[in-house]
């Protein structure tokens, strides 16, 4: 049933946000027993306001100014957060993938395990912050320092019906003008969000610095709820800002799991950044790893398994090696397909840029004043301690 939405006359957000969002701030007012409680959460109200003001074509200059100020302040706070993490020795790695990946699938479980292991190895995992593989990323980080069994148990809870698959047609949950909402879709979304919300609440008082992760969602895709498993949320109105920042800050590599349009866009956005990496007086800057999880999906143009494949590796080979942008040896080292979670983690560790290289790259987006020597010492401590984390 289609119901009317309140017209929001003033921005339902602080345009000068002095810290990154938390899931519990954005979902304040969420009630496990009431689907309509979603409507009053700050997150849904911002989503509604964004549509009521014309989406990316903002009708009111005041609203446009407030949204722009908000996004600028979020970038500033994100940079401050990352600077603190870098100084603690934690380097950023991004994990990309489809928002429709089913909870409990083999890919979902691999992504979660990779994120858990990377977090335990001194990396801070970053994703777009939505459902599917993005959710799996933050779920894995949230279980860093815990046993693989604890992580599997959480995934088993999430994959139960009707929670396993992200509901269809969520883009229609509110009208294009933001004046109506679909009550049936709202109910489905609430049910889907519920087990993740419960798990996040159960763990929120048991977290350590290992469990920090960064999500970069956007109200442009506000019908895809951000994951409450992320401890820090840099949510934007403009998707273009979010995409560019997300790819740039992944200084120690990006792991691409199975995805469609958005993931393919990110593959080639990242490829462009690698291709146009900086030159100095002697040679090109270090290559940032691009790892592709599931060799069949990313390399095989045939589909004997009746599944969709995206064989991008041949084109990337031509782009990088065919143009002499990198040697064949460099391509084999940094542009890789992997099928195993441990292998992916080991490659990221092996190819991770040095502390000074990370600091140099992230200075381009305003992250500065990092002691690279101290950062290097602490990063090495993380890697040396890998596997010795207490499992609880």
């Amino acid at each position: 049933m289609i119901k009317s939405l309140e017209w929001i006359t003033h921005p339902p957000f602080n345009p000068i946000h002095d810290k990154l969002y938390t899931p519990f701030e954005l979902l304040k007012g969420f009630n496990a027993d009431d689907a309509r409680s979603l409507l009053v959460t700050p997150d849904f109200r911002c989503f509604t306001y964004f549509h009521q003001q014309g989406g990316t074509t903002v009708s009111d200059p005041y609203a446009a100014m407030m949204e722009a100020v908000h996004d600028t302040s979020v970038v500033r706070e994100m940079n401050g957060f990352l600077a603190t993490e870098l100084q603690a020795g934690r380097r950023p790695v991004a994990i990309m993938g489809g928002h429709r990946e089913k909870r409990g699938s083999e890919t979902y479980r691999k992504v979660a395990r990779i994120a858990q292991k990377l977090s335990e190895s001194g990396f801070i995992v970053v994703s777009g912050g939505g459902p599917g593989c993005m959710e799996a990323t933050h779920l894995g980080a949230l279980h860093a320092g815990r046993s693989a069994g604890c992580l599997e148990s959480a995934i088993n809870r999430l994959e139960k019906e009707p929670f396993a698959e992200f509901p269809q047609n969520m883009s229609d949950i509110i009208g294009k003008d933001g004046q109506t909402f679909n009550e049936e879709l709202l109910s489905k979304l609430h049910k889907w969000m519920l087990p993740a919300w419960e798990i996040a609440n159960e763990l929120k008082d048991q977290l350590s610095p290992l469990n920090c992760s960064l999500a970069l969602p956007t109200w442009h895709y506000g019908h895809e709820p951000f994951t409450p498993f992320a401890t820090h949320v840099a949510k934007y109105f403009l998707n273009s800002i979010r995409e560019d920042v997300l790819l740039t800050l992944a200084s120690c590599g990006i792991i691409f799991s199975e995805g469609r349009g958005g993931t393919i866009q990110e593959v080639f956005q990242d490829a462009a950044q690698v291709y146009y990496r900086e030159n100095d007086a002697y040679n090109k800057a270090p290559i940032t790893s691009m790892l592709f999880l599931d060799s069949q999906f990313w390399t095989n143009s045939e589909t004997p398994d009746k599944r969709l494949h995206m064989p991008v590796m041949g084109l990337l080979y031509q782009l990088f090696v065919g143009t002499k942008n990198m040697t064949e040896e460099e391509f084999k080292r940094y542009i890789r397909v992997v099928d195993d979670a441990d292998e992916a983690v080991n490659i990221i560790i092996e190819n991770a840029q040095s502390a000074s290289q990370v600091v140099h790259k992230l200075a381009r987006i305003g992250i500065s004043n990092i002691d690279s020597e101290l950062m290097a010492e602490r990063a090495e401590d993380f890697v040396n301690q890998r596997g010795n984390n207490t499992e609880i």
Side-chain angles (χ1 to χ4, degrees), residues 22-24 142 146 197-209 211 228-229 231 392:
T22 70
F24 308 104
L142 204 64
R146 297 174 181 274
W197 171 253
E198 291 172 344
I199 292 170
N201 272 277
E202 289 166 11
L203 295 179
K204 68 179 180 181
D205 296 324
Q206 305 174 34
L207 304 183
S208 76
N211 303 120
F229 299 137
T231 59
I392 56 177

Side-chain angles (χ1 to χ4, degrees), residues 289-315:
S289 294
M290 299 177 69
L291 305 188
F292 295 86
L293 186 62
D294 186 341
S295 56
Q296 286 293 314
F297 181 80
W298 294 110
T299 62
N300 192 355
S301 58
E302 302 297 325
T303 57
D305 54 6
K306 306 300 182 183
R307 294 171 58 234
L308 187 66
H309 291 188
M310 296 288 174
V312 302
M313 293 301 291
L315 184 55

Side-chain angles (χ1 to χ4, degrees), residues 10 24 32 38 102 115 119 121 123 141 152 203 237 241 258-259 263 274 286 306 312 354 379 388 392:
H10 298 288
F24 308 104
L38 265 175
K102 192 174 181 180
S119 297
S121 303
F123 295 91
E152 287 296 310
L203 295 179
F237 286 99
I241 295 177
E258 182 175 328
T263 305
V274 172
K306 306 300 182 183
V312 302
S354 69
N388 295 326
I392 56 177

Side-chain angles (χ1 to χ4, degrees), residues 47-163:
F47 174 46
T48 302
Y49 180 81
F50 178 70
H51 274 277
Q52 290 178 346
Q53 295 299 328
T56 54
T57 309
V58 188
S59 56
D60 180 1
Y62 176 76
M65 179 176 65
M66 292 298 99
E67 290 178 12
V69 171
H70 169 276
D71 284 2
T72 300
S73 71
V74 169
V75 170
R76 183 189 64 243
E77 295 307 316
M78 183 194 71
N79 287 2
F81 165 74
L82 285 171
T84 300
E85 292 295 307
L86 290 173
Q87 199 64 78
R90 303 188 75 204
R91 295 165 289 174
V93 174
I95 302 179
M96 310 296 197
H99 72 279
R100 288 213 162 271
E101 187 65 41
K102 192 174 181 180
R103 287 167 166 169
S105 71
E106 181 181 359
T107 297
Y108 186 102
R109 291 176 187 272
K110 282 184 181 179
V111 169
R113 189 66 174 144
I114 289 169
Q116 183 185 37
K117 288 173 174 283
L118 285 172
S119 297
E120 292 171 349
S121 303
F123 295 91
I124 180 161
V125 294
V126 184
S127 89
C133 292
M134 295 173 281
E135 179 187 75
T137 296
H138 298 283
L139 178 65
L142 204 64
H143 283 78
R146 297 174 181 274
S147 68
C150 286
L151 176 58
E152 287 296 310
S153 177
I155 296 174
N156 292 342
R157 284 175 63 181
L158 290 164
E159 74 170 343
K160 291 179 180 178
E161 295 297 339
F163 311 127

Side-chain angles (χ1 to χ4, degrees), residues 251 274 277 284-290 320 325-327 330-331 334-335 351-353:
S251 55
V274 172
R277 62 194 183 277
K284 285 186 177 293
I287 299 167
T288 303
S289 294
M290 299 177 69
F320 292 130
N325 180 270
M326 63 178 71
T327 66
E330 288 173 327
F331 183 85
Y334 292 101
I335 316 300
N351 290 344
Q353 295 184 9

